[in-house]
């Protein structure tokens, strides 16, 4: 325990300066030792509680925040729970919550060092201690709620879930978030300058890596130092301007009743949560808000283990999902026509929104909308018009990219077709002929409604560079019809012959590792998948979620990933870490993605029908529902495996 605590806080603490570090470390070691002694002591619980309370006062007198008081308060709450002392439990929770929120506010307001896109796009180091403490606090509020299922407990738990689910994305994207939310043209101009500086920084970094000449390298290093300083000062200016109204902190501290006030018509909102138990199992609960409640309603649902291994593309097992998740909520669905929900844990990979189809009385009568967080009901200000679309499909995965046309401003690549498929049976992927029919049909629908505003990218043009050139461009819909992939650690190890996997071994953290094990394939990908060497000057045809996260897609209203398992990844309370995370980090608004391997023809029908309804003026949710009905009414596609794979995220228009 001791080494674990020392490691955590030597790594995470933000308070120590070089000239104060020794004194600070002595204080930390002293308090850690005291904490361990109190916890290990066999004295009565009530005496132990008071000893911990005194220790907390001593820690406060030394102005130490973050992890140490977090552990002390967590232990105090655990003792109060065991003694059934709800008054002390909720008093300590309030104390803990105020400490954490003050900590996070300070970090968000003083995040000047977050000046440069870090090597880890997943990183939020400047707020990591606050995030760590919030994670423990969120879990403790759920444990307390299960012990004391009162309105006070549900308020603490719902509040913690709101903070936790939104914080890491805000921390990573704080500058882009400020730029997109502000109406200040000065900040927007600075943000545009910052993006340009970061692009130059990245280009210069590439030159350093590709240049062997020492003098040239040193020259590039000098340029890099100058760019780094300009990025730092520009970032400081943006954050200083944003602090004048602190709107990004206001967005962080949205109260539950603000969400309640944004419920329109006969609607309700649900935050699902997984609560970890001492035996390692997990309870799934729901915290529900409707227009009549005085506090979030707490509804116990099931054990997470009861959903593991179910195949939701079977109607019988979709019914099990209904029984476990919706049946306990049924009393609150009377006269409800819209349900907004935010998933957690295993529910991220479950088609919760379609389980109601198994109830004859409810199917097709309730619109169920999946959100990153129910706070989206308050924050949502996405555009409603659809003007321009970029459609990708019918990729030539066997394309052999041979050289760069340096005379082209767009740096298009000259390519030759490799007729050989000798590696196909082991490493490559097959063509998807239906994607050509799909994107051409979608283009026709767009042209009928928005003539001249649709661009289609297919065949040899569908290279990775064409996709990445969309960064920072303004358009509304991005449609990608291709193969998607999601590999476990073990599956990735078996593919260590693939360059983008082997090149990153030992160079990235575990979290970023998740984002390189999932992605989308573009033209030429089979060359990379076969283990062939791709020149450093060209892209490899494989776009990982980590690469997506590097892009700026903040002006894109909707990304449609017409691919297998594009909505999956490794899950936590913060969400799904895969392509979903990558596109959200890039700033995309709505995502349409799949939960399992999808049939080529059924997907083509679903997508074309979806756009047909969407461009006729219907909402995204209505359009997907009607497109699914089209499939459900066809005998050969009536099974859920054909129509229930695709889910919409954050489709509030």
């Amino acid at each position: 325990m001791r080494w674990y605590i020392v490691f955590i806080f030597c790594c995470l603490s933000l308070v120590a300066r070089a000239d104060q570090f020794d004194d600070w470390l002595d204080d930390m070691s002293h308090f850690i030792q005291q904490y361990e002694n109190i916890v290990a002591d066999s004295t009565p619980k009530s005496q132990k509680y008071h000893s911990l309370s005194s220790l907390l006062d001593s820690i406060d007198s030394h102005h130490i925040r973050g992890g140490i008081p977090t552990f002390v308060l967590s232990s105090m709450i655990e003792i109060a729970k065991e003694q059934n002392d709800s008054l002390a439990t909720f008093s300590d929770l309030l104390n803990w919550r105020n400490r954490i929120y003050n900590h996070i506010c300070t970090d968000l307001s003083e995040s000047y060092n977050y000046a440069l896109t870090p090597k880890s796009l997943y990183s939020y180091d400047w707020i990591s201690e606050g995030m760590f403490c919030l994670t423990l606090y969120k879990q403790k509020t759920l444990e307390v709620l299960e012990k004391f299922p009162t309105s006070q407990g549900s308020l603490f738990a719902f509040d913690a879930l709101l903070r936790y689910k939104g914080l890491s994305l805000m921390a990573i994207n704080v500058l882009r978030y400020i730029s997109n939310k502000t109406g200040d043209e000065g900040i927007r101009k600075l943000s545009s300058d910052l993006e340009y500086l970061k692009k130059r920084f990245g280009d210069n970094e590439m030159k350093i890596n590709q240049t062997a000449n020492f003098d040239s390298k040193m020259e590039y290093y000098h340029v890099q130092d100058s760019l780094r300083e300009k990025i730092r000062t520009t970032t400081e200016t943006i954050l200083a301007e944003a602090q004048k109204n602190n709107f990004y902190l206001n967005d962080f501290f949205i109260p539950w009743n603000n969400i309640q006030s944004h419920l329109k018509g006969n609607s309700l909102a649900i935050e699902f949560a997984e609560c970890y138990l001492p035996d390692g199992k997990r309870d799934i609960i729901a915290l529900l808000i409707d227009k009549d409640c005085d506090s979030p309603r707490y509804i116990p649902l099931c054990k997470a283990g009861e959903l593991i291994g179910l195949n939701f593309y079977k109607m019988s097992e979709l019914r099990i999902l209904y029984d476990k998740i919706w049946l306990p909520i049924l009393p609150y669905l009377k006269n409800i026509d819209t349900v907004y929900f935010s998933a957690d844990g295993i529910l991220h990979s479950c088609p919760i929104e379609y389980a109601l189809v198994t109830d004859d009385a409810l199917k097709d009568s309730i619109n169920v909308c999946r959100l990153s967080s129910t706070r989206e009901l308050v924050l949502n200000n996405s555009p409603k018009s659809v003007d321009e679309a970029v459609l990708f499909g019918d990729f030539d995965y066997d394309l052999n990219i041979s050289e760069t046309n340096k005379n082209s401003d767009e740096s298009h690549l000259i390519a030759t077709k490799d007729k050989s498929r000798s590696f196909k049976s082991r490493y490559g992927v097959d063509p998807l002929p239906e994607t050509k029919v799909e994107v051409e049909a979608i283009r026709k629908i767009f042209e009928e409604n928005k003539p001249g505003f649709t661009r289609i990218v297919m065949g040899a043009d569908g290279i990775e560079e064409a996709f990445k050139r969309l960064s920072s461009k303004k358009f509304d819909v991005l449609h990608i019809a291709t193969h998607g992939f999601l590999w476990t650690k073990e599956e990735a190890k078996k593919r260590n012959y693939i360059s983008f996997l082997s090149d990153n071994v030992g160079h990235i953290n575990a979290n970023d590792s998740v984002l390189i094990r999932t992605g989308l394939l573009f033209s030429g990908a089979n060359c990379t998948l076969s283990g062939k060497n791709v020149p450093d000057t060209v892209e490899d045809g494989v776009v990982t979620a980590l690469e997506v996260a590097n892009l700026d897609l903040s002006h894109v209203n909707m990304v449609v990933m017409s691919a297998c398992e594009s909505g999956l990844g490794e899950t936590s309370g913060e969400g799904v870490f895969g392509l979903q995370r990558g596109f959200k980090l890039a700033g995309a608004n709505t995502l349409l993605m799949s939960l399992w391997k999808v049939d080529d023809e059924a997907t083509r029908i679903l997508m074309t029908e979806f756009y047909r309804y969407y461009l006729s003026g219907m909402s995204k949710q209505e359009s997907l529902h009607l497109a699914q009905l089209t499939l459900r009414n066809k005998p050969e596609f009536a099974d859920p495996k054909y129509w229930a794979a695709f889910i919409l995220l954050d489709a509030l228009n």
Side-chain angles (χ1 to χ4, degrees):
M1 179 68 172
R2 178 183 178 82
W3 282 108
Y4 172 72
I5 296 174
V6 170
F7 173 76
I8 288 289
F9 297 110
C10 282
C11 291
L12 297 181
S13 181
L14 306 175
V15 301
R17 296 179 180 177
D19 57 341
Q20 300 171 327
F21 185 76
D22 290 340
D23 290 341
W24 171 82
L25 192 57
D26 287 342
D27 289 340
M28 291 288 285
S29 299
H30 171 69
F31 288 128
I32 290 170
Q33 185 65 64
Q34 278 192 278
Y35 170 74
E36 287 185 329
N37 291 342
I38 295 171
V39 171
D41 200 340
S42 58
T43 56
K45 295 286 187 182
S46 58
Q47 184 176 336
K48 187 175 292 189
Y49 180 91
H50 288 297
S51 297
L52 287 168
S53 181
S54 297
L55 175 60
L56 188 62
D57 290 339
S58 297
I59 292 170
D60 289 343
S61 69
H62 284 73
H63 307 290
I64 292 176
R65 65 176 188 172
I68 293 295
T70 282
F71 278 114
V72 173
L73 281 162
S74 179
S75 296
M76 291 172 65
I77 291 169
E78 198 58 38
I79 293 172
K81 273 174 52 193
E82 292 175 8
Q83 296 184 322
N84 291 315
D85 188 343
S86 61
L87 184 63
T89 298
F90 288 120
S91 176
D92 291 335
L93 268 183
L94 180 61
N95 184 351
W96 192 1
R97 184 183 72 177
N98 291 340
R99 290 167 182 267
I100 291 173
Y101 291 178
N102 287 335
H103 187 163
I104 290 170
C105 277
T106 301
D107 287 345
L108 281 170
S109 297
E110 297 178 354
S111 53
Y112 293 135
N113 290 329
Y114 199 72
L116 187 62
T117 300
K119 291 181 180 178
S120 166
L121 258 294
Y122 184 94
S123 172
Y124 38 87
D125 291 342
W126 55 270
I127 202 167
S128 56
E129 187 180 27
M131 191 69 194
F132 171 77
C133 297
L134 181 59
T135 303
L136 295 183
Y137 168 75
K138 184 263 299 184
Q139 178 57 32
K140 189 61 69 176
T141 64
L142 296 174
E143 294 173 13
V144 168
L145 177 59
E146 293 204 308
K147 176 69 175 180
F148 303 113
T150 63
S151 59
Q152 192 173 11
S154 66
L155 284 169
F156 273 105
F158 195 93
D159 180 78
L161 286 169
L162 282 183
R163 308 294 171 260
Y164 182 73
K165 288 185 178 180
L167 180 60
S168 63
L169 272 174
M170 181 186 289
I172 297 169
N173 271 346
V174 62
L175 295 175
R176 185 178 294 163
Y177 185 82
I178 291 170
S179 175
N180 291 340
K181 291 285 288 186
T182 185
D184 189 318
E185 288 302 321
I187 292 182
R188 289 185 174 177
K189 173 63 168 60
L190 286 169
S191 299
S192 177
D193 293 344
L194 184 61
E195 289 300 319
Y196 172 71
L197 288 169
K198 286 183 177 181
K199 184 181 184 304
R200 283 188 60 196
F201 188 93
D203 293 343
N204 201 65
E205 187 78 22
M206 186 178 296
K207 291 177 182 178
I208 291 173
N209 295 332
Q210 294 175 351
T211 301
N213 182 274
F214 177 79
D215 291 336
S216 297
K217 265 189 185 294
M218 293 306 298
E219 184 177 339
Y220 288 136
Y221 276 125
H222 288 312
V223 172
Q224 205 74 330
D225 289 340
S226 174
L227 287 171
R228 185 181 287 108
E229 178 61 20
K230 289 178 181 178
I231 289 171
R232 185 188 67 78
T233 56
T234 305
T235 301
E236 287 188 4
T237 304
I238 293 172
L239 289 169
E241 288 296 317
Q243 283 182 57
K244 291 178 180 178
N245 56 34
N246 268 350
F247 62 84
Y248 60 107
L249 289 182
N250 293 334
D251 286 352
F252 175 69
F253 288 103
I254 292 173
W256 76 274
N257 52 5
N258 199 349
I259 292 171
Q260 184 184 46
S261 68
H262 279 75
L263 292 173
K264 300 176 181 178
N266 298 319
S267 62
L268 57 81
I270 301 172
E271 283 284 349
F272 290 107
E274 281 191 358
C275 179
Y276 287 79
L277 305 176
D279 61 4
K281 296 181 179 179
R282 294 164 290 160
D283 282 344
I284 297 178
I285 69 167
L287 288 164
L288 181 150
I289 295 176
D290 56 36
K291 290 185 175 180
D292 301 322
C293 64
D294 295 322
S295 62
R297 304 182 192 275
Y298 164 58
I299 307 171
L301 300 178
C302 64
K303 302 291 184 187
E306 297 176 61
L307 301 180
I308 295 175
L310 293 178
N311 295 318
F312 298 118
Y313 48 79
K314 297 179 180 179
M315 190 66 80
S316 60
E317 301 197 11
L318 200 58
R319 176 69 193 199
I320 295 174
L321 182 62
Y322 167 82
D323 291 340
K324 299 298 181 183
I325 301 301
W326 290 112
L327 202 56
I329 300 173
L330 207 56
Y332 303 99
L333 297 182
K334 186 178 180 181
N335 299 322
I336 293 296
D337 56 31
T338 304
V339 173
Y340 303 100
F341 78 90
S342 175
D344 190 24
I346 191 173
L347 294 184
H348 283 297
S349 57
C350 299
I352 309 169
E353 47 271 80
Y354 308 135
L356 289 174
V357 170
T358 63
D359 185 327
D360 289 336
L362 290 177
K363 71 176 182 180
D364 304 325
S365 65
I366 299 179
N367 175 35
V368 185
C369 182
R370 181 183 295 249
L371 303 175
S372 301
S373 165
T374 54
R375 73 166 61 200
E376 292 297 321
L377 292 169
V378 179
L379 299 179
N380 177 57
N381 53 9
S382 58
K384 295 183 179 180
S385 63
V386 182
D387 294 323
E388 187 172 351
V390 181
L391 314 175
F392 284 86
D394 189 32
F395 293 142
D396 183 356
Y397 301 111
D398 288 330
L399 197 69
N400 178 25
I401 301 171
S402 59
E403 61 180 281
T404 303
N405 181 357
K406 297 181 181 179
N407 295 324
S408 171
D409 292 336
E410 289 287 316
S411 190
H412 282 294
L413 298 175
I414 297 175
T416 60
K417 186 72 176 285
D418 185 352
K419 299 292 185 182
S420 170
R421 295 194 180 188
S422 59
F423 57 84
K424 180 72 68 180
S425 61
R426 186 177 177 191
Y427 301 121
V429 294
D430 292 322
L432 294 173
E434 290 290 336
T435 64
K436 180 178 182 179
V437 181
E438 178 181 323
V439 295
E440 288 183 339
I442 294 170
R443 175 172 62 176
K444 183 178 179 181
I445 296 169
F446 267 96
E447 288 296 321
E448 290 172 353
N449 292 271
K450 301 282 183 180
F453 288 94
T454 305
R455 184 156 66 94
I456 193 168
V457 186
M458 296 193 302
D461 292 328
I463 54 178
E464 182 176 344
E465 287 86 345
F467 170 70
K468 289 186 174 179
R469 282 195 295 270
L470 296 176
S471 183
S472 301
K473 300 291 175 63
K474 293 185 178 181
F475 57 99
D476 303 292
V477 175
L478 171 60
H479 182 97
I480 309 170
T482 185
H483 286 288
F485 67 91
L486 171 64
W487 296 327
T488 63
K489 290 180 181 179
E490 291 69 27
E491 289 171 330
K493 286 179 181 178
K494 293 177 182 178
R495 294 174 169 84
N496 60 4
Y497 53 83
I498 298 177
S499 59
F500 72 86
L501 291 174
S502 59
D503 290 349
N504 285 292
V505 173
H507 299 295
I508 63 173
N509 62 41
N511 295 321
D512 280 350
S513 171
V514 178
L515 299 183
I516 68 165
R517 289 188 275 109
T518 180
L520 299 169
L521 304 185
F522 286 75
S523 291
N526 276 345
C527 183
T528 299
L529 296 179
S530 69
K532 293 181 180 178
N533 291 325
V534 177
D536 292 337
T537 54
V538 299
E539 299 286 0
D540 59 14
V542 180
V543 176
T544 66
L546 188 62
E547 290 178 289
V548 172
N550 271 294
L551 305 178
D552 178 9
L553 301 176
S554 55
H555 298 291
V556 179
N557 184 14
M558 180 170 61
V559 174
V560 178
M561 289 173 274
S562 184
C564 291
E565 301 178 322
S566 52
L568 295 182
E570 295 187 9
T571 61
S572 74
E574 296 175 61
V576 179
F577 293 95
L579 281 166
Q580 180 180 145
R581 183 74 167 186
F583 277 103
K584 278 296 180 180
L585 284 171
N589 179 31
T590 300
L591 304 181
L592 178 55
M593 53 204 170
S594 65
L595 295 178
W596 55 74
K597 294 182 179 179
V598 293
D599 179 81
D600 198 14
E601 183 182 358
T603 300
R604 190 249 318 154
I605 296 171
L606 180 79
M607 290 297 169
T608 52
E609 290 302 302
F610 168 75
Y611 283 107
R612 194 182 312 281
Y613 288 115
Y614 183 45
L615 291 172
S616 72
M618 294 185 177
S619 71
K620 297 167 187 171
Q621 288 287 154
E622 291 171 323
S623 301
L624 181 60
H625 174 65
L626 291 172
Q628 289 171 324
L629 273 179
T630 301
L631 285 178
R632 284 163 54 190
N633 290 332
K634 293 178 180 290
E636 67 272 32
F637 296 127
D639 197 272
K641 72 177 181 180
Y642 295 109
W643 56 263
F646 282 94
I647 58 171
L648 275 166
L649 179 68
D650 296 334
L652 287 173
N653 59 4

